[in-house]
Amino acid sequence: EDMAAHVGASRTPQEVMEHYVSMYIHGNLGKACIPDTIPNRVTDHTCPSGGPLSPSLTTPLPPLDISVAEQQQLGYMPLRDDYEIEYDQDAETLISGLSVNYDDDDVEIELKRAHVDMYVRKLKERQRRKNIARDYNLVPAFLGKDKKDKEKAPKRKITKEEKELRLKLRPLYQFMSCKEFEDFFENMHKERILRAKIRELQRYRRNGITKMEESAEYEAARHKREKRKENKNIASSKRGKEEGKEGEFAAIENLPGFELLSDREKVLCSSLNLSPARYVTVKTIIIKDHLQKRQGIPSKSRLPSYLDKVLKKRILNFLTESGWISRDAS
């Protein structure tokens, strides 16, 4: 209509449209510029290819194969693949009070869209956690069912270092599937074995061995050398202990009365830095006083002046523990 008014009263709107279609769309210009089939440039966001509205992002997994009692223990609803208490239980409060009104301005509309987006993110996080729990068999592990499966399928023994590494890398479990993670550690184990084998072959080469047949003879000789070395170390350590025990009493062994002491008395004199003769004197006085008191005879002997309170207490305790005097007398 606007084109007809611009051209003038000589053309009606219908004639203008027919002229444009015949000359430009179906004419030579249209044939050169417009393709026969026009591609559909509209993206279907509901397709199951991972789009923002794809149902595959929140599609429930197959129900868990657990008994009714175990379902009640977990609060699990198998037909919905849901739990009575979900991750972020109050997520629905973001949209529970939303409503679309005809008089909403642009700011209110964007705010409501933001609430819906936040809710969708929480739903995706719920499903992601369920997928991780299903992939790593966390529910059977919680119920204790995985122990039976482990007994059926024996695996290689996991070293302490690998257990520590698994604990350190546990936050990465959410980015890898269970199979990928097991393959990762299995490959690391193979790498350690290969590195050890390479070091062993390099050691053979350094020792002039170039054939595997020669390695068995070399290993036998090396084992004998290590055994002799180990026996030598054990003998030297025993000898060192004996020498150390003899040297323990070096300060008092040449003093008079040393041969009269027992092993425990030698240790006591050495720790108190007390000569054997003085110890024998104090011991004789204390035992004599003890016997006189038991017979009702008053004691008149005096302890030597070099015996202070600490030495006296240590010697009395020792004689009491050894049974020389009774506890009441000490």
Side-chain angles (χ1 to χ4, degrees):
E1 290 175 355
D2 292 339
M3 290 300 299
H6 179 73
V7 171
S10 59
R11 300 286 184 180
T12 62
Q14 184 65 27
E15 291 175 338
V16 171
M17 185 185 70
E18 291 174 354
H19 174 76
Y20 178 80
V21 170
S22 62
M23 296 300 295
Y24 293 97
I25 295 180
H26 298 303
N28 294 330
L29 188 62
K31 292 177 181 179
C33 300
I34 302 175
D36 295 334
T37 56
I38 300 176
N40 184 12
R41 302 182 184 278
V42 179
T43 303
D44 184 7
H45 292 289
T46 63
C47 62
S49 59
L53 299 178
S54 172
S56 62
L57 296 176
T58 56
T59 301
L61 296 170
L64 291 170
D65 184 16
I66 55 178
S67 64
V68 177
E70 292 169 341
Q71 292 176 10
Q72 294 176 352
Q73 181 182 359
L74 293 173
Y76 177 69
M77 296 173 283
L79 298 180
R80 297 174 54 184
D81 192 39
D82 279 344
Y83 295 88
E84 293 179 2
I85 300 178
E86 291 279 358
Y87 167 75
D88 203 347
Q89 182 74 2
D90 300 328
E92 281 71 19
T93 56
L94 288 168
I95 59 170
S96 59
L98 292 183
S99 61
V100 181
N101 303 317
Y102 70 93
D103 57 346
D104 289 342
D105 55 18
D106 294 341
V107 175
E108 290 176 333
I109 293 173
E110 291 300 323
L111 182 61
K112 292 177 180 179
R113 286 177 177 174
H115 277 228
V116 173
D117 182 63
M118 292 163 63
Y119 177 63
V120 171
R121 290 173 184 270
K122 291 181 181 293
L123 289 182
K124 290 179 182 178
E125 179 62 19
R126 279 184 187 174
Q127 192 61 36
R128 187 183 73 89
R129 289 172 178 255
K130 288 181 182 177
N131 293 340
I132 293 174
R134 189 70 62 89
D135 188 25
Y136 283 90
N137 293 321
L138 298 184
V139 173
F142 174 76
L143 297 173
K145 289 185 173 182
D146 61 331
K147 296 181 180 178
K148 300 178 181 178
D149 298 337
K150 288 180 180 178
E151 292 176 357
K152 293 179 182 178
K155 294 184 179 180
R156 64 177 178 84
K157 187 176 180 181
I158 299 176
T159 61
K160 182 181 178 182
E161 293 77 11
E162 184 173 335
K163 287 181 180 179
E164 293 176 353
L165 184 60
R166 283 175 180 262
L167 288 175
K168 290 179 181 178
L169 297 180
R170 182 171 287 180
L172 300 180
Y173 280 25
Q174 57 185 319
F175 305 113
M176 302 172 69
S177 66
C178 182
K179 186 178 184 307
E180 290 174 341
F181 223 77
E182 290 299 328
D183 291 343
F184 171 69
F185 280 106
E186 195 66 32
N187 292 333
M188 289 184 64
H189 177 66
K190 291 179 181 178
E191 179 190 5
R192 283 195 295 270
I193 294 175
L194 290 174
R195 287 181 179 274
K197 188 64 177 177
I198 289 171
R199 287 195 297 268
E200 183 183 10
L201 295 175
Q202 289 175 343
R203 180 164 53 84
Y204 289 159
R205 180 60 61 89
R206 285 195 302 268
N207 288 277
I209 298 174
T210 57
K211 295 181 180 180
M212 291 302 297
E213 293 80 8
E214 302 172 353
S215 63
E217 183 178 353
Y218 169 78
E219 286 294 334
R222 185 175 68 87
H223 180 70
K224 289 180 181 178
R225 287 196 304 271
E226 290 180 352
K227 195 69 176 175
R228 285 197 299 269
K229 187 177 180 181
E230 183 180 352
N231 294 336
K232 187 177 179 181
N233 291 336
I234 293 173
S236 62
S237 63
K238 287 182 178 179
R239 196 162 51 246
K241 286 181 180 179
E242 293 174 357
E243 292 174 356
K245 191 173 182 180
E246 292 174 358
E248 185 179 357
F249 310 122
I252 61 173
E253 61 183 352
N254 296 323
L255 298 177
F258 179 77
E259 66 279 358
L260 301 175
L261 304 180
S262 65
D263 291 339
R264 292 185 63 198
E265 288 175 328
K266 291 176 184 178
V267 175
L268 177 66
C269 291
S270 179
S271 62
L272 297 178
N273 198 16
L274 186 67
S275 67
R278 289 187 172 186
Y279 167 74
V280 171
T281 302
V282 174
K283 175 183 175 183
T284 304
I285 294 173
I286 292 176
I287 294 176
K288 183 180 177 182
D289 289 348
H290 173 63
L291 294 174
Q292 287 178 350
K293 286 180 181 179
R294 290 186 63 179
Q295 295 173 3
I297 302 173
S299 174
K300 297 181 180 180
S301 58
R302 291 186 177 181
L303 293 174
S305 59
Y306 56 80
L307 193 69
D308 58 12
K309 291 183 179 179
V310 177
L311 289 176
K312 180 182 177 182
K313 186 176 181 181
R314 289 282 301 274
I315 295 174
L316 283 172
N317 290 337
F318 174 78
L319 295 176
T320 304
E321 292 172 0
S322 302
W324 291 97
I325 61 176
S326 63
R327 194 168 297 276
D328 296 337
S330 63

PDB file of all heavy atoms in Angstrom, residues 59-80:
ATOM      1  N   THR A  59      16.591 -35.604  33.097  1.00  0.00           N
ATOM      2  CA  THR A  59      15.876 -36.867  32.917  1.00  0.00           C
ATOM      3  C   THR A  59      16.215 -37.822  34.057  1.00  0.00           C
ATOM      4  O   THR A  59      17.400 -38.058  34.327  1.00  0.00           O
ATOM      5  CB  THR A  59      16.263 -37.513  31.575  1.00  0.00           C
ATOM      6  OG1 THR A  59      15.949 -36.601  30.525  1.00  0.00           O
ATOM      7  CG2 THR A  59      15.514 -38.815  31.369  1.00  0.00           C
ATOM      8  N   PRO A  60      15.231 -38.383  34.756  1.00  0.00           N
ATOM      9  CA  PRO A  60      15.532 -39.293  35.868  1.00  0.00           C
ATOM     10  C   PRO A  60      16.258 -40.549  35.372  1.00  0.00           C
ATOM     11  O   PRO A  60      16.029 -41.039  34.270  1.00  0.00           O
ATOM     12  CB  PRO A  60      14.148 -39.632  36.439  1.00  0.00           C
ATOM     13  CG  PRO A  60      13.243 -38.548  35.957  1.00  0.00           C
ATOM     14  CD  PRO A  60      13.785 -38.125  34.636  1.00  0.00           C
ATOM     15  N   LEU A  61      17.129 -41.054  36.224  1.00  0.00           N
ATOM     16  CA  LEU A  61      17.837 -42.292  35.921  1.00  0.00           C
ATOM     17  C   LEU A  61      16.946 -43.490  36.231  1.00  0.00           C
ATOM     18  O   LEU A  61      15.914 -43.351  36.895  1.00  0.00           O
ATOM     19  CB  LEU A  61      19.113 -42.367  36.763  1.00  0.00           C
ATOM     20  CG  LEU A  61      20.153 -41.286  36.484  1.00  0.00           C
ATOM     21  CD1 LEU A  61      21.243 -41.326  37.551  1.00  0.00           C
ATOM     22  CD2 LEU A  61      20.771 -41.471  35.110  1.00  0.00           C
ATOM     23  N   PRO A  62      17.299 -44.688  35.775  1.00  0.00           N
ATOM     24  CA  PRO A  62      16.520 -45.879  36.148  1.00  0.00           C
ATOM     25  C   PRO A  62      16.509 -46.060  37.664  1.00  0.00           C
ATOM     26  O   PRO A  62      17.475 -45.717  38.342  1.00  0.00           O
ATOM     27  CB  PRO A  62      17.272 -47.017  35.457  1.00  0.00           C
ATOM     28  CG  PRO A  62      18.018 -46.367  34.344  1.00  0.00           C
ATOM     29  CD  PRO A  62      18.368 -45.001  34.817  1.00  0.00           C
ATOM     30  N   PRO A  63      15.410 -46.584  38.210  1.00  0.00           N
ATOM     31  CA  PRO A  63      15.327 -46.725  39.676  1.00  0.00           C
ATOM     32  C   PRO A  63      16.433 -47.631  40.218  1.00  0.00           C
ATOM     33  O   PRO A  63      16.932 -48.528  39.541  1.00  0.00           O
ATOM     34  CB  PRO A  63      13.933 -47.341  39.897  1.00  0.00           C
ATOM     35  CG  PRO A  63      13.176 -47.038  38.654  1.00  0.00           C
ATOM     36  CD  PRO A  63      14.170 -47.002  37.543  1.00  0.00           C
ATOM     37  N   LEU A  64      16.823 -47.376  41.474  1.00  0.00           N
ATOM     38  CA  LEU A  64      17.831 -48.207  42.129  1.00  0.00           C
ATOM     39  C   LEU A  64      17.265 -49.572  42.462  1.00  0.00           C
ATOM     40  O   LEU A  64      16.086 -49.703  42.832  1.00  0.00           O
ATOM     41  CB  LEU A  64      18.309 -47.522  43.415  1.00  0.00           C
ATOM     42  CG  LEU A  64      19.146 -46.249  43.252  1.00  0.00           C
ATOM     43  CD1 LEU A  64      19.331 -45.577  44.611  1.00  0.00           C
ATOM     44  CD2 LEU A  64      20.497 -46.577  42.650  1.00  0.00           C
ATOM     45  N   ASP A  65      18.091 -50.584  42.339  1.00  0.00           N
ATOM     46  CA  ASP A  65      17.678 -51.951  42.632  1.00  0.00           C
ATOM     47  C   ASP A  65      17.941 -52.239  44.118  1.00  0.00           C
ATOM     48  O   ASP A  65      18.935 -52.862  44.497  1.00  0.00           O
ATOM     49  CB  ASP A  65      18.445 -52.935  41.752  1.00  0.00           C
ATOM     50  CG  ASP A  65      17.971 -54.364  41.944  1.00  0.00           C
ATOM     51  OD1 ASP A  65      16.865 -54.547  42.513  1.00  0.00           O
ATOM     52  OD2 ASP A  65      18.695 -55.301  41.558  1.00  0.00           O
ATOM     53  N   ILE A  66      17.045 -51.748  44.972  1.00  0.00           N
ATOM     54  CA  ILE A  66      17.190 -51.958  46.416  1.00  0.00           C
ATOM     55  C   ILE A  66      15.854 -52.403  46.986  1.00  0.00           C
ATOM     56  O   ILE A  66      14.791 -52.206  46.371  1.00  0.00           O
ATOM     57  CB  ILE A  66      17.672 -50.670  47.131  1.00  0.00           C
ATOM     58  CG1 ILE A  66      16.737 -49.487  46.824  1.00  0.00           C
ATOM     59  CG2 ILE A  66      19.084 -50.324  46.720  1.00  0.00           C
ATOM     60  CD1 ILE A  66      17.133 -48.209  47.535  1.00  0.00           C
ATOM     61  N   SER A  67      15.896 -53.002  48.162  1.00  0.00           N
ATOM     62  CA  SER A  67      14.685 -53.533  48.783  1.00  0.00           C
ATOM     63  C   SER A  67      13.824 -52.410  49.352  1.00  0.00           C
ATOM     64  O   SER A  67      14.252 -51.255  49.450  1.00  0.00           O
ATOM     65  CB  SER A  67      15.055 -54.525  49.886  1.00  0.00           C
ATOM     66  OG  SER A  67      15.758 -53.858  50.922  1.00  0.00           O
ATOM     67  N   VAL A  68      12.606 -52.780  49.771  1.00  0.00           N
ATOM     68  CA  VAL A  68      11.678 -51.792  50.329  1.00  0.00           C
ATOM     69  C   VAL A  68      12.223 -51.220  51.639  1.00  0.00           C
ATOM     70  O   VAL A  68      12.128 -50.008  51.895  1.00  0.00           O
ATOM     71  CB  VAL A  68      10.296 -52.433  50.541  1.00  0.00           C
ATOM     72  CG1 VAL A  68       9.338 -51.434  51.190  1.00  0.00           C
ATOM     73  CG2 VAL A  68       9.731 -52.936  49.222  1.00  0.00           C
ATOM     74  N   ALA A  69      12.827 -52.084  52.461  1.00  0.00           N
ATOM     75  CA  ALA A  69      13.387 -51.598  53.733  1.00  0.00           C
ATOM     76  C   ALA A  69      14.527 -50.614  53.490  1.00  0.00           C
ATOM     77  O   ALA A  69      14.639 -49.594  54.192  1.00  0.00           O
ATOM     78  CB  ALA A  69      13.881 -52.786  54.568  1.00  0.00           C
ATOM     79  N   GLU A  70      15.339 -50.893  52.482  1.00  0.00           N
ATOM     80  CA  GLU A  70      16.436 -49.981  52.157  1.00  0.00           C
ATOM     81  C   GLU A  70      15.908 -48.677  51.574  1.00  0.00           C
ATOM     82  O   GLU A  70      16.479 -47.605  51.816  1.00  0.00           O
ATOM     83  CB  GLU A  70      17.396 -50.660  51.182  1.00  0.00           C
ATOM     84  CG  GLU A  70      18.159 -51.817  51.807  1.00  0.00           C
ATOM     85  CD  GLU A  70      18.908 -52.645  50.780  1.00  0.00           C
ATOM     86  OE1 GLU A  70      18.560 -52.564  49.580  1.00  0.00           O
ATOM     87  OE2 GLU A  70      19.820 -53.389  51.174  1.00  0.00           O
ATOM     88  N   GLN A  71      14.817 -48.751  50.822  1.00  0.00           N
ATOM     89  CA  GLN A  71      14.185 -47.528  50.309  1.00  0.00           C
ATOM     90  C   GLN A  71      13.694 -46.651  51.458  1.00  0.00           C
ATOM     91  O   GLN A  71      13.881 -45.428  51.443  1.00  0.00           O
ATOM     92  CB  GLN A  71      13.022 -47.896  49.390  1.00  0.00           C
ATOM     93  CG  GLN A  71      13.430 -48.566  48.075  1.00  0.00           C
ATOM     94  CD  GLN A  71      12.240 -48.995  47.262  1.00  0.00           C
ATOM     95  OE1 GLN A  71      11.100 -48.633  47.569  1.00  0.00           O
ATOM     96  NE2 GLN A  71      12.496 -49.799  46.232  1.00  0.00           N
ATOM     97  N   GLN A  72      13.089 -47.278  52.451  1.00  0.00           N
ATOM     98  CA  GLN A  72      12.623 -46.514  53.607  1.00  0.00           C
ATOM     99  C   GLN A  72      13.789 -45.944  54.396  1.00  0.00           C
ATOM    100  O   GLN A  72      13.712 -44.832  54.923  1.00  0.00           O
ATOM    101  CB  GLN A  72      11.771 -47.412  54.499  1.00  0.00           C
ATOM    102  CG  GLN A  72      10.469 -47.862  53.844  1.00  0.00           C
ATOM    103  CD  GLN A  72       9.696 -48.830  54.711  1.00  0.00           C
ATOM    104  OE1 GLN A  72      10.183 -49.290  55.737  1.00  0.00           O
ATOM    105  NE2 GLN A  72       8.474 -49.163  54.283  1.00  0.00           N
ATOM    106  N   GLN A  73      14.887 -46.685  54.480  1.00  0.00           N
ATOM    107  CA  GLN A  73      16.060 -46.197  55.203  1.00  0.00           C
ATOM    108  C   GLN A  73      16.635 -44.955  54.527  1.00  0.00           C
ATOM    109  O   GLN A  73      17.062 -44.005  55.197  1.00  0.00           O
ATOM    110  CB  GLN A  73      17.116 -47.297  55.256  1.00  0.00           C
ATOM    111  CG  GLN A  73      18.376 -46.902  56.022  1.00  0.00           C
ATOM    112  CD  GLN A  73      19.411 -48.010  55.998  1.00  0.00           C
ATOM    113  OE1 GLN A  73      19.176 -49.075  55.432  1.00  0.00           O
ATOM    114  NE2 GLN A  73      20.560 -47.767  56.608  1.00  0.00           N
ATOM    115  N   LEU A  74      16.639 -44.948  53.192  1.00  0.00           N
ATOM    116  CA  LEU A  74      17.189 -43.812  52.450  1.00  0.00           C
ATOM    117  C   LEU A  74      16.163 -42.707  52.201  1.00  0.00           C
ATOM    118  O   LEU A  74      16.545 -41.612  51.787  1.00  0.00           O
ATOM    119  CB  LEU A  74      17.724 -44.293  51.093  1.00  0.00           C
ATOM    120  CG  LEU A  74      18.937 -45.217  51.102  1.00  0.00           C
ATOM    121  CD1 LEU A  74      19.211 -45.733  49.708  1.00  0.00           C
ATOM    122  CD2 LEU A  74      20.150 -44.478  51.632  1.00  0.00           C
ATOM    123  N   GLY A  75      14.870 -42.998  52.423  1.00  0.00           N
ATOM    124  CA  GLY A  75      13.850 -42.039  52.028  1.00  0.00           C
ATOM    125  C   GLY A  75      13.753 -41.923  50.526  1.00  0.00           C
ATOM    126  O   GLY A  75      13.539 -40.833  49.979  1.00  0.00           O
ATOM    127  N   TYR A  76      13.891 -43.064  49.840  1.00  0.00           N
ATOM    128  CA  TYR A  76      13.980 -43.087  48.374  1.00  0.00           C
ATOM    129  C   TYR A  76      12.626 -43.460  47.778  1.00  0.00           C
ATOM    130  O   TYR A  76      11.955 -44.381  48.248  1.00  0.00           O
ATOM    131  CB  TYR A  76      15.044 -44.095  47.948  1.00  0.00           C
ATOM    132  CG  TYR A  76      15.182 -44.261  46.457  1.00  0.00           C
ATOM    133  CD1 TYR A  76      15.708 -43.242  45.679  1.00  0.00           C
ATOM    134  CD2 TYR A  76      14.810 -45.442  45.838  1.00  0.00           C
ATOM    135  CE1 TYR A  76      15.850 -43.397  44.310  1.00  0.00           C
ATOM    136  CE2 TYR A  76      14.956 -45.610  44.477  1.00  0.00           C
ATOM    137  CZ  TYR A  76      15.466 -44.583  43.713  1.00  0.00           C
ATOM    138  OH  TYR A  76      15.597 -44.743  42.364  1.00  0.00           O
ATOM    139  N   MET A  77      12.211 -42.724  46.723  1.00  0.00           N
ATOM    140  CA  MET A  77      10.973 -43.010  46.004  1.00  0.00           C
ATOM    141  C   MET A  77      11.340 -43.509  44.611  1.00  0.00           C
ATOM    142  O   MET A  77      11.743 -42.723  43.732  1.00  0.00           O
ATOM    143  CB  MET A  77      10.120 -41.740  45.921  1.00  0.00           C
ATOM    144  CG  MET A  77       9.657 -41.254  47.293  1.00  0.00           C
ATOM    145  SD  MET A  77       8.825 -39.666  47.258  1.00  0.00           S
ATOM    146  CE  MET A  77      10.247 -38.579  47.095  1.00  0.00           C
ATOM    147  N   PRO A  78      11.275 -44.830  44.365  1.00  0.00           N
ATOM    148  CA  PRO A  78      11.822 -45.402  43.128  1.00  0.00           C
ATOM    149  C   PRO A  78      11.093 -44.967  41.872  1.00  0.00           C
ATOM    150  O   PRO A  78      11.715 -44.817  40.817  1.00  0.00           O
ATOM    151  CB  PRO A  78      11.699 -46.913  43.361  1.00  0.00           C
ATOM    152  CG  PRO A  78      10.625 -47.063  44.388  1.00  0.00           C
ATOM    153  CD  PRO A  78      10.727 -45.859  45.253  1.00  0.00           C
ATOM    154  N   LEU A  79       9.769 -44.773  41.925  1.00  0.00           N
ATOM    155  CA  LEU A  79       9.039 -44.416  40.713  1.00  0.00           C
ATOM    156  C   LEU A  79       9.394 -43.017  40.218  1.00  0.00           C
ATOM    157  O   LEU A  79       9.268 -42.726  39.023  1.00  0.00           O
ATOM    158  CB  LEU A  79       7.524 -44.517  40.966  1.00  0.00           C
ATOM    159  CG  LEU A  79       7.015 -45.922  41.333  1.00  0.00           C
ATOM    160  CD1 LEU A  79       5.516 -45.901  41.552  1.00  0.00           C
ATOM    161  CD2 LEU A  79       7.381 -46.920  40.235  1.00  0.00           C
ATOM    162  N   ARG A  80       9.832 -42.170  41.107  1.00  0.00           N
ATOM    163  CA  ARG A  80      10.229 -40.810  40.715  1.00  0.00           C
ATOM    164  C   ARG A  80      11.743 -40.628  40.721  1.00  0.00           C
ATOM    165  O   ARG A  80      12.231 -39.591  40.280  1.00  0.00           O
ATOM    166  CB  ARG A  80       9.603 -39.802  41.691  1.00  0.00           C
ATOM    167  CG  ARG A  80       8.102 -39.784  41.666  1.00  0.00           C
ATOM    168  CD  ARG A  80       7.555 -38.887  42.757  1.00  0.00           C
ATOM    169  NE  ARG A  80       8.110 -37.543  42.690  1.00  0.00           N
ATOM    170  CZ  ARG A  80       7.845 -36.593  43.578  1.00  0.00           C
ATOM    171  NH1 ARG A  80       7.054 -36.869  44.599  1.00  0.00           N
ATOM    172  NH2 ARG A  80       8.375 -35.403  43.458  1.00  0.00           N
TER     173      ARG A  80
END
